[in-house]
Amino acid sequence: MKERFISTFQSYWENILEKTPEITLGFALLLFFIFIGVFIRRLIENRLKKKVQDRILLVFIGRAVLLIFSIIGIVVFLKQVGLGNAAGGLLAGAGVSALILGFAFKDLGENFLAGFFLAFSRPFSSGDIIEINSLVGKVKEMTLRNTHIRTFDGRDIYVPNALLIKNPLTNYTKDGLMRHEFVIGMDYNININEATKLILSTLDTQENITSIKGLEPFVTIEKFASSTINLKIFFWINTHDFLGSIYVLKSQVMQEIVEALIENGFGMPADIFELKIYQENNPIPINIKNFESFIDANKNKL
């Protein structure tokens, strides 16, 4: 048994030594095709940079080119070392082995094809703010398998490309514009027209708010609440020009509008509650004097 094992090992070793030139040439050809793939990838990216501004498309095309040349190099290597049947099976992609590999790499192939369609249909670009399955964040890059999204709370999430194809996708910054709104409660005694003019004039002083034709800020009456008239204020932000935080800008706009309304005498009351006493013949069960003494005794604690 030992002698048989040794003879078999020697036979394989001698076979490897005999095929050393073919194996060496095969490795050289594999490295050559990889080198060519890297070279063509850089060449294509440099040429397309002048015509295509979308970095995601450039990266995806470059990686796809490198992958194709790497597969060609592997096939050439297999044929060179005498594994032509394996190379033919790899190229043909048919038979039972291809079926097994198809199930094994179903998700990988699905995400690759999804990335291919995303790269060329381009529903988003690098730096866009998108929402998918209640997940909102900025697109950093897209690989052959997934898309890197960074949320506003600092999480780096990698979403499979297939999910971006199968689910509704919202792009908040496709054209560089994003609309924001907020509600403010006003006193029923105010002049609504004058308050609206003051709000719009305050918005006009904001440099980062878009005022182009068709996208001007506007104010509507949302509803008549129990204590206030609720005005809803709409404005657009140019996300391409604004370098700060969108939420910080929104907070700043709200603060300046509130300050302008207060300075010009517009009231913004709190909720008003009505107290009904159903015992008509009895006095109101509130003693003002006792209440004032309670306030004086506890004013240091309040």
Side-chain angles (χ1 to χ4, degrees):
M1 184 70 181
K2 182 178 180 181
E3 293 177 355
R4 185 178 177 183
F5 175 79
I6 294 174
S7 62
T8 303
F9 177 78
Q10 289 177 347
S11 176
Y12 277 109
W13 178 250
E14 290 174 358
N15 190 22
I16 292 175
L17 292 178
E18 290 178 0
K19 291 184 175 293
T20 298
E22 289 82 358
I23 295 175
T24 303
L25 181 59
F27 271 115
L29 290 173
L30 175 60
L31 294 176
F32 172 76
F33 277 101
I34 293 176
F35 174 78
I36 292 296
V38 173
F39 175 77
I40 295 180
R41 172 186 177 179
R42 293 179 179 176
L43 181 63
I44 292 176
E45 288 180 350
N46 291 332
R47 291 289 182 88
L48 291 179
K49 278 181 181 178
K50 301 177 182 178
K51 300 179 180 179
V52 180
Q53 301 297 326
D54 190 354
R55 183 176 176 273
I56 288 181
L57 180 60
L58 291 176
V59 172
F60 188 86
I61 292 176
R63 289 176 176 174
V65 168
L66 180 59
L67 178 62
I68 291 173
F69 276 91
S70 299
I71 292 175
I72 294 174
I74 292 173
V75 172
V76 171
F77 169 76
L78 292 175
K79 285 191 173 184
Q80 184 63 34
V81 297
L83 299 175
N85 293 332
L90 181 61
L91 287 176
V96 178
S97 60
L99 184 62
I100 296 174
L101 289 175
F103 281 108
F105 296 99
K106 175 180 177 294
D107 291 339
L108 182 62
E110 185 181 31
N111 289 319
F112 174 78
L113 290 176
F116 178 82
F117 288 116
L118 287 172
F120 285 93
S121 62
R122 300 200 298 179
F124 55 83
S125 302
S126 179
D128 283 354
I129 299 174
I130 65 172
E131 180 178 359
I132 179 75
N133 289 345
S134 301
L135 174 67
V136 181
K138 181 177 290 188
V139 178
K140 305 299 290 184
E141 67 173 347
M142 185 179 71
T143 64
L144 299 177
R145 184 182 180 277
N146 51 45
T147 298
H148 178 195
I149 298 176
R150 184 169 179 82
T151 61
F152 293 110
D153 56 359
R155 293 179 296 161
D156 291 287
I157 300 177
Y158 297 86
V159 182
N161 293 330
L163 292 180
L164 300 176
I165 290 289
K166 295 178 180 179
N167 296 280
L169 187 148
T170 303
N171 190 334
Y172 291 103
T173 54
K174 180 67 175 180
D175 56 358
L177 296 169
M178 181 183 292
R179 196 185 75 180
H180 287 271
E181 66 272 349
F182 63 92
V183 177
I184 186 169
M186 305 298 298
D187 196 300
Y188 270 95
N189 296 324
I190 68 164
N191 187 319
I192 296 179
N193 291 330
E194 293 297 327
T196 300
K197 291 179 182 179
L198 178 60
I199 292 172
L200 293 178
S201 63
T202 304
L203 291 174
D204 288 338
T205 61
Q206 298 293 320
E207 297 180 355
N208 294 311
I209 291 180
T210 301
S211 298
I212 60 178
K213 186 176 181 180
L215 299 177
E216 300 91 347
F218 61 95
V219 180
T220 63
I221 299 177
E222 186 190 42
K223 68 175 181 178
F224 295 102
S226 59
S227 306
T228 59
I229 301 176
N230 291 342
L231 301 181
K232 196 166 188 178
I233 302 160
F234 300 84
F235 59 94
W236 292 82
I237 297 174
N238 191 328
T239 57
H240 288 168
D241 295 337
F242 181 61
L243 301 178
S245 170
I246 295 175
Y247 296 103
V248 172
L249 174 59
K250 182 177 179 180
S251 176
Q252 179 183 348
V253 171
M254 294 173 68
Q255 180 179 349
E256 294 194 6
I257 287 178
V258 169
E259 291 177 354
L261 290 171
I262 293 175
E263 289 177 0
N264 288 271
F266 290 96
M268 289 172 285
D271 290 338
I272 300 173
F273 297 95
E274 182 179 0
L275 179 62
K276 292 185 176 181
I277 306 298
Y278 293 99
Q279 299 176 354
E280 298 181 358
N281 298 324
N282 297 327
I284 298 176
I286 297 177
N287 192 321
I288 302 299
K289 293 183 178 180
N290 292 339
F291 181 74
E292 291 178 351
S293 62
F294 172 80
I295 292 296
D296 293 336
N298 295 274
K299 60 181 179 180
N300 294 328
K301 298 180 182 179
L302 296 177

